Amino acid sequence: MQKFKLSLRVSSALRTAHPRTTPLRSYSTEARLTTDHVRIVEVGPRDGLQNEKKSISLETKLELIRRLANTGVTTIEAGSFVPAKWVPQMASTSEILQHLLRTPPPSQNQIAYNYLVPNIKGLENLVTILESEGATAGSKDDAKASTTTEISLFAAATESFSKANTNCTIAESIERVRPIVALAKEKDIRVRGYVSVALGCPYEGPDVSPGKVAEITATLLEMGADEVSVADTTGMGTAPRTLELLHALSAAGIANSDLALHFHDTYGQALVNTIVGLEHGIRIFDSSVGGLGGCPYSKGATGNVSTEDLVHTLHGLGMHTGIDLEEMSRIGAWISEQLGRANDSRAGKATLARIAGEKTCP
Ligand SMILES: CC(C)(COP(=O)([O-])OP(=O)([O-])OC[C@H]1O[C@@H](n2cnc3c(N)ncnc32)[C@H](O)[C@@H]1OP(=O)([O-])[O-])[C@@H](O)C(=O)NCCC(=O)NCCSC(=O)C[C@@](C)(O)CC(=O)[O-]
């Protein structure tokens, strides 16, 4: 495999788009790629399914998670402790947690199951189940030796989105997060933060302040979040603005190792922006199998970048994910069929077509 070497010349595009703020500099990647392993956070069962019009049964959700756990992926967002009136598709999350606590993952994989909590009540509900099952977040007894339970919490980078998504201002949402992190730390639960609409807001447009995103990210980390996923909820991000945002995060003193990137592929820019992130040194990316999802507050929004497309791109760049692309492609086709929707992964469809072709070739 040839050494991964890119020269995207992002800097000249950046200069045109942002003449005042961005320093002129050449953009060489080689020195930044010190490690070639990327951790993918599979968000299909939560971020994907929460936005699908058709609800699926608990059994199908469990089957989805079981199959995903067999692909080599190490972090799976399994559900969300939100009121059913806000997100009806996530209503069976308690049962999912219970089931996963009782079931060792297949193939002896070490898997972290992550649950979104919008407020302290969500985390209290999760902890009640954890304790009633006699489990801790990082279960150490034999039956549960290889699963851990994590949470995600979230804030938004614009006031309008914060109001629509969480019924409160940004400042109030940060205050809401504080006791969640404190309780999670007390219970030894790993915490992931999200900053939504980091590269574009359905109400306020693409010009979201990178400084504001960096400020919220830093606040979540200072409170005790273990990593923060910076989310392009609307898919409005472009390569130059992604780079500008990454520079703002670095300038705020935030280490790349504390960051993940979460791209939706509404404008088909997710993989381009992923490469910008890779070049900058980010090694954690979120994606959903089959490109499941959308966003109820963002008209026309498609789902997350598909895991199959992301894995295909990363492997093509010589990076490692530990994920079996063929198996992931089969799951993408299967879950799309269960949901009665098109499979949004080009690499997934192409992989399956290639396998079918190989089988029928004389
Ligand atoms: C934050 C709230 C709850 C405030 O919602 P609210 O209506 O202001 O809540 P409230 O505190 O006034 O309570 C209202 C009722 O809900 C109950 N309640 C309160 N909390 C809970 C809970 N956790 N679980 C179960 N029940 C709960 C509470 O007990 C009460 O019950 P009642 O007295 O009426 O019977 C609401 O705004 C909410 O759930 N928002 C989250 C919506 C959501 O999940 N959005 C999608 C996730 S974010 C996302 O997807 C983006 C991301 C992360 O993927 C990254 C990206 O941007 O791409």
Side-chain angles (χ1 to χ4, degrees):
M1 169 77 58
Q2 277 221 320
K3 221 170 168 214
F4 171 31
K5 187 177 172 193
L6 285 170
S7 83
L8 284 176
R9 300 267 165 233
V10 175
S11 60
S12 58
L14 188 59
R15 210 165 33 202
T16 316
H18 300 276
R20 282 164 303 150
T21 52
T22 311
L24 305 182
R25 61 205 244 337
S26 70
Y27 196 76
S28 161
T29 65
E30 236 175 337
R32 293 159 195 248
L33 293 170
T34 49
T35 126
D36 63 0
H37 181 78
V38 170
R39 177 160 67 88
I40 290 184
V41 176
E42 169 58 54
V43 299
R46 196 281 302 171
D47 201 5
L49 292 185
Q50 79 176 8
N51 288 310
E52 290 293 335
K53 286 186 186 70
K54 183 176 168 191
S55 286
I56 53 174
S57 67
L58 172 62
E59 287 67 34
T60 309
K61 285 183 192 173
L62 293 175
E63 178 62 12
L64 172 63
I65 295 167
R66 189 192 67 75
R67 291 186 188 205
L68 288 169
N70 254 327
T71 61
V73 75
T74 53
T75 311
I76 300 176
E77 266 196 342
S80 182
F81 280 88
V82 285
K85 81 167 185 207
W86 278 79
V87 190
Q89 292 90 332
M90 294 289 104
S92 50
T93 297
S94 298
E95 287 91 334
I96 291 173
L97 172 60
Q98 252 163 355
H99 175 87
L100 294 175
L101 287 173
R102 292 173 189 174
T103 317
S107 318
Q108 299 305 306
N109 289 344
Q110 176 69 39
I111 308 243
Y113 292 113
N114 189 298
Y115 301 86
L116 197 78
V117 298
N119 56 10
I120 189 72
K121 184 166 175 139
L123 179 55
E124 284 166 355
N125 290 345
L126 178 148
V127 168
T128 302
I129 295 171
L130 212 54
E131 294 183 345
S132 69
E133 292 293 318
T136 58
S139 294
K140 298 286 186 293
D141 61 87
D142 280 346
K144 298 161 185 164
S146 39
T147 66
T148 54
T149 303
E150 303 182 354
I151 60 160
S152 286
L153 41 80
F154 53 94
T158 68
E159 291 296 350
S160 327
F161 194 83
S162 183
K163 200 77 193 158
N165 198 29
T166 50
N167 204 17
C168 65
T169 64
I170 297 175
E172 285 164 348
S173 75
I174 298 288
E175 285 319 303
R176 210 179 251 177
V177 160
R178 211 175 284 282
I180 305 179
V181 180
L183 178 58
K185 293 287 132 184
E186 189 192 316
K187 301 291 178 186
D188 204 17
I189 296 175
R190 189 171 190 274
V191 177
R192 185 166 217 256
Y194 276 109
V195 182
S196 290
V197 293
L199 284 160
C201 170
Y203 311 106
E204 301 182 25
D207 288 328
V208 176
S209 157
K212 187 71 189 172
V213 177
E215 182 194 316
I216 297 171
T217 305
T219 304
L220 294 177
L221 289 167
E222 277 159 20
M223 276 183 192
D226 297 285
E227 95 193 14
V228 174
S229 180
V230 178
D232 183 11
T233 314
T234 59
M236 287 180 194
T238 58
R241 288 197 300 104
T242 301
L243 186 57
E244 185 184 30
L245 174 58
L246 290 166
H247 284 163
L249 291 160
S250 297
I254 298 163
N256 284 337
S257 54
D258 288 337
L259 290 174
L261 289 173
H262 176 109
F263 292 117
H264 286 252
D265 205 23
T266 311
Y267 292 84
Q269 298 304 295
L271 292 173
V272 175
N273 297 339
T274 296
I275 291 175
V276 173
L278 276 176
E279 287 192 315
H280 192 78
I282 306 295
R283 291 293 180 272
I284 310 170
F285 293 88
D286 303 352
S287 59
S288 77
V289 65
L292 298 182
C295 175
Y297 309 112
S298 184
K299 265 202 162 35
T302 62
N304 297 91
V305 62
S306 84
T307 306
E308 303 90 304
D309 289 6
L310 181 61
V311 169
H312 176 78
T313 299
L314 292 169
H315 290 181
L317 293 170
M319 313 292 285
H320 302 286
T321 63
I323 292 176
D324 179 339
L325 176 58
E326 292 187 2
E327 195 47 38
M328 194 58 88
S329 301
R330 285 186 200 99
I331 300 170
W334 169 78
I335 191 62
S336 300
E337 200 183 317
Q338 298 295 314
L339 288 160
R341 78 192 296 274
N343 180 355
D344 271 348
S345 174
R346 295 171 72 165
K349 286 185 285 191
T351 300
L352 294 178
R354 179 180 51 72
I355 298 168
E358 280 166 5
K359 280 195 184 131
T360 52
C361 266

